[in-house]
Amino acid sequence: SHIRHAWDPTKSVAQNLAEMGLAENPNKAVPIPKKLLGTEVESDGRGQGKKIVRKPYVVNEMEYEASLPEKKSNTLSRDLIDYVRYMIQNHGENYKEMARDEKNYYQDTPKQIKRKINVYKNFYPEEYKDFIASLKQEKMDVQ
């Protein structure tokens, strides 16, 4: 978006990028020395003139945006959450029994079910604690 706002449609791509301080061709921007049998080949001697950056704010804004920490937006699907809660509610920690349950549509093994429950615990630790506490409360109310 920063490049789009600073773009001048009357200029070429190379001119626009040069004004922003960006490279059109990365191979020319960061030259790699050519080596033949361990010896470096001399360049043709044409020194490139110093480029004038007229819009440095574009690069500055892009660097600032890149330095911001990334937001974690990982969540579990509602189906997986419901599946895990159902299994814990009906079978406690008996993973073999969970594997034989009719709601085990994907025929997960006991280890796979345990792994899914652990993923749920890691993603939603507070919700998991509240859920286990509510199950214990229900057990006490029944007795």
Side-chain angles (χ1 to χ4, degrees), residues 2 6-7 20 23 47 56 59 71-72 74 88 93-94 101 112 114-115 118 120 125 131 133 135 139:
H2 304 297
W7 197 265
M20 294 178 213
V59 174
K71 292 180 183 176
K72 289 188 177 180
N74 296 342
I88 293 171
E93 290 190 15
N94 188 346
D101 192 290
Q112 289 172 321
K114 185 175 184 177
R115 203 173 303 127
N118 286 335
Y120 174 70
F131 178 63
L135 288 178
K139 244 184 199 178

Side-chain angles (χ1 to χ4, degrees), residues 23-89:
E24 174 194 12
N25 184 349
N27 295 324
K28 290 180 182 176
V30 182
I32 300 172
K34 295 179 183 176
K35 294 182 179 183
L36 293 174
L37 302 173
T39 60
E40 290 190 19
V41 176
E42 294 291 324
S43 62
D44 58 352
R46 282 188 289 163
Q48 299 226 349
K50 197 164 192 178
K51 295 181 180 174
I52 300 171
V53 179
R54 293 195 173 113
K55 300 176 184 176
Y57 61 90
V58 175
V59 174
N60 295 338
E61 288 172 355
M62 289 173 64
E63 285 175 349
Y64 172 74
E65 197 172 287
S67 70
L68 293 175
E70 189 174 324
K71 292 180 183 176
K72 289 188 177 180
S73 62
N74 296 342
T75 59
L76 298 177
S77 70
R78 189 76 236 161
D79 292 337
L80 180 64
I81 293 170
D82 293 341
Y83 172 77
V84 167
R85 293 181 76 143
Y86 168 82
M87 290 297 187
I88 293 171
Q89 189 170 11

Side-chain angles (χ1 to χ4, degrees), residues 79-116:
D79 292 337
L80 180 64
I81 293 170
D82 293 341
Y83 172 77
V84 167
R85 293 181 76 143
Y86 168 82
M87 290 297 187
I88 293 171
Q89 189 170 11
N90 291 332
H91 305 291
E93 290 190 15
N94 188 346
Y95 301 111
K96 287 184 180 181
E97 200 175 304
M98 290 179 193
R100 284 186 248 121
D101 192 290
E102 64 183 18
K103 291 241 180 172
N104 185 6
Y105 300 125
Y106 297 109
Q107 298 181 350
D108 292 329
T109 64
K111 279 189 175 183
Q112 289 172 321
I113 295 171
K114 185 175 184 177
R115 203 173 303 127
K116 286 181 180 183

